[in-house]
Amino acid sequence: REVPGVLYELYLRSTGVNNNAYVFARGVDITFISKVKEHALAGVRIETATTRRYETSYAAHVLGHTGAIDPGDEWAHYKELGYPMNATVGKEGVELAFEERLHGVSGTRRIEKDQDGNVVSQEWSKVPAPGENVVLTLDMALQATTEDLLAQYAARQEREVGEDGELEPVKGMAAAVVDMSGGVLALASYPTYDLPTFRENYGELQTDESKPLLNRATHGIYAPGSTFKPLTAIAALDSGAIALREKIECTGKYRFYSDPASQPNCWINPGRHGMETVTQAIKDSCNIFFYDAGRRTTIKTLQEYARKFGLGEYTGIEIPEAKGRMAGPETNAAFDLPWYDGDTMYAAIGQGNSAFTPLQLANYVATLVN
């Protein structure tokens, strides 16, 4: 069956239906090449080609992968850029983001053959050019350590699940490490996959319920929880809703609203934090303080400061990312939910419908540190 297939491909080329060279085999070893050369087969030639090779099993989600051009919109895009239809292009991550820089320029060569198919002469009418180098801010040693720590934590949690029987196994984790100028030093997502074996394992990776192909550091969106409280503090101080040395009493339960259903607890309840300034409230992560500070500040102002800190906004990183969302009337409306004044309290402590990427949160914290 394979032999007639080869003969048919050669027939198409002899009739001019297809003028592209027929590729019989790719990635062959030196032994195969030597045997082909020994036989001096008419019409057969051996060519070298460049390929993108990964020297690491880390940073798979950041580096991304390549593949053949999909027919349709992708081909229409690359056709406009002068790509041949059989080109290999970036599909995810850095490979996709910098495809046009990495790809280089394809060349055109005129080849003259004799009646036996042997090349008599060849001339470049358009000389090919290599692509550019792209240097990332990643610290690969830190990237490796970060990924290894996530995997170790997941393994330890899995053992504890087996021993306890009540815990749930880790479904997914992410970590983002940035320097103070915003450069990404490490961007890890768990579970991950191995780039060198990506193609052969693609089917299994695609159907895996743990979603190893998902870059949770840039595409996963999660409730920020108490990491949002410093932003509430800044918004409240900057807008004049609270004063720096003002004290708010934590009794363990927030009783501003008369309805018992709208009286949420502090995490310390049935204990209490007592009278606290904003500095003490951040140190103790006091819910009651930030319920009240958030209510006074208003959701509109909290949204404004979230935008200023890049929460619920694209970070500008070159690889694909999710935008996330900041809680508010508009966000609730998108989920067909009403918005109540009391919802501002939950937004102020990072709950409600707020959801951000780990990278957004890392940039936000870097801004606070600066």
Side-chain angles (χ1 to χ4, degrees):
R1 182 177 176 181
E2 291 175 355
V3 172
V6 174
L7 292 173
Y8 178 66
E9 291 288 348
L10 296 178
Y11 167 75
L12 291 177
R13 284 153 181 81
S14 68
T15 57
V17 174
N18 188 337
N19 292 319
N20 293 323
Y22 172 59
V23 180
F24 177 76
R26 298 178 188 272
V28 296
D29 59 30
I30 192 66
T31 304
F32 183 87
I33 292 172
S34 299
K35 287 183 177 179
V36 170
K37 285 188 173 180
E38 283 175 16
H39 291 286
L41 301 171
V44 176
R45 68 179 187 270
I46 297 163
E47 293 186 347
T48 58
T50 56
T51 183
R52 297 179 191 175
R53 181 176 169 184
Y54 306 101
E55 301 292 344
T56 178
S57 58
Y58 294 104
H61 294 99
V62 179
L63 296 176
H65 59 272
T66 60
I69 296 176
D70 295 328
D73 291 342
E74 192 174 43
W75 165 234
H77 169 72
Y78 285 116
K79 184 180 180 181
E80 286 290 319
L81 298 174
Y83 278 53
M85 195 170 189
N86 62 347
T88 297
V89 297
K91 295 289 187 178
E92 294 287 347
V94 169
E95 291 282 18
L96 172 62
F98 296 104
E99 164 58 38
E100 291 169 35
R101 291 189 181 186
L102 292 167
H103 181 76
V105 179
S106 299
T108 304
R109 183 169 53 180
R110 293 193 184 94
I111 299 175
E112 185 181 347
K113 302 177 185 178
D114 60 21
Q115 61 184 10
D116 295 323
N118 298 312
V119 176
V120 176
S121 67
Q122 52 184 324
E123 178 186 1
W124 287 103
S125 59
K126 181 182 178 183
V127 180
E132 300 175 38
N133 292 326
V134 173
V135 180
L136 309 182
T137 59
L138 286 186
D139 179 327
M140 285 308 292
L142 183 59
Q143 177 74 28
T145 300
T146 306
E147 289 191 31
D148 288 344
L149 286 171
L150 292 184
Q152 289 167 21
Y153 178 82
R156 185 168 70 248
Q157 189 79 352
E158 196 169 323
R159 286 196 302 272
E160 291 176 359
V161 167
E163 294 167 3
D164 190 284
E166 295 181 2
L167 298 171
E168 288 190 8
V170 172
K171 293 180 180 178
M173 294 181 286
V177 184
V178 300
D179 64 21
M180 292 302 97
S181 65
V184 177
L185 301 178
L187 206 59
S189 183
Y190 179 89
T192 185
Y193 60 93
D194 192 13
L195 274 175
T197 61
F198 168 75
R199 293 191 188 285
E200 56 202 74
N201 297 332
Y202 181 70
E204 185 179 337
L205 291 169
Q206 202 175 29
T207 56
D208 190 330
E209 290 183 0
S210 66
K211 299 182 179 179
L213 296 177
L214 174 64
N215 185 356
R216 289 172 165 85
T218 58
H219 272 101
I221 58 171
Y222 309 97
S226 292
T227 63
F228 192 83
K229 289 174 181 175
L231 187 146
T232 299
I234 290 172
L237 288 166
D238 214 29
S239 64
I242 63 170
L244 186 62
R245 292 178 177 80
E246 179 180 355
K247 291 186 176 182
I248 294 174
E249 184 178 8
C250 169
T251 61
K253 183 181 284 292
Y254 189 56
R255 293 187 170 86
F256 178 82
Y257 296 103
S258 57
D259 183 0
S262 299
Q263 296 179 350
N265 294 329
C266 186
W267 65 267
I268 202 173
N269 190 61
R272 61 181 62 198
H273 288 117
M275 301 297 291
E276 294 210 308
T277 64
V278 64
T279 305
Q280 293 168 324
I282 291 174
K283 174 178 174 291
D284 294 333
S285 192
C286 177
N287 287 354
I288 303 303
F289 186 100
F290 289 104
Y291 285 146
D292 202 55
R295 177 189 61 78
R296 298 191 208 173
T297 305
T298 74
I299 190 61
K300 184 178 179 181
T301 303
L302 289 177
Q303 288 176 320
E304 177 189 343
Y305 278 80
R307 281 193 297 273
K308 288 180 177 181
F309 278 94
L311 296 178
E313 303 290 330
Y314 293 116
T315 66
I317 193 171
E318 293 87 346
I319 63 176
E321 62 174 330
K323 187 177 181 182
R325 61 177 184 265
M326 172 62 194
E330 308 86 354
T331 303
N332 271 25
F335 288 97
D336 292 325
L337 296 172
W339 177 264
Y340 302 104
D341 287 343
D343 289 336
T344 303
M345 296 187 303
Y346 299 105
I349 65 164
Q351 300 296 336
N353 274 324
S354 290
F356 312 124
T357 69
L359 180 59
Q360 286 174 349
L361 288 169
N363 278 341
Y364 149 63
V365 172
T367 307
L368 288 176
V369 173
N370 272 334

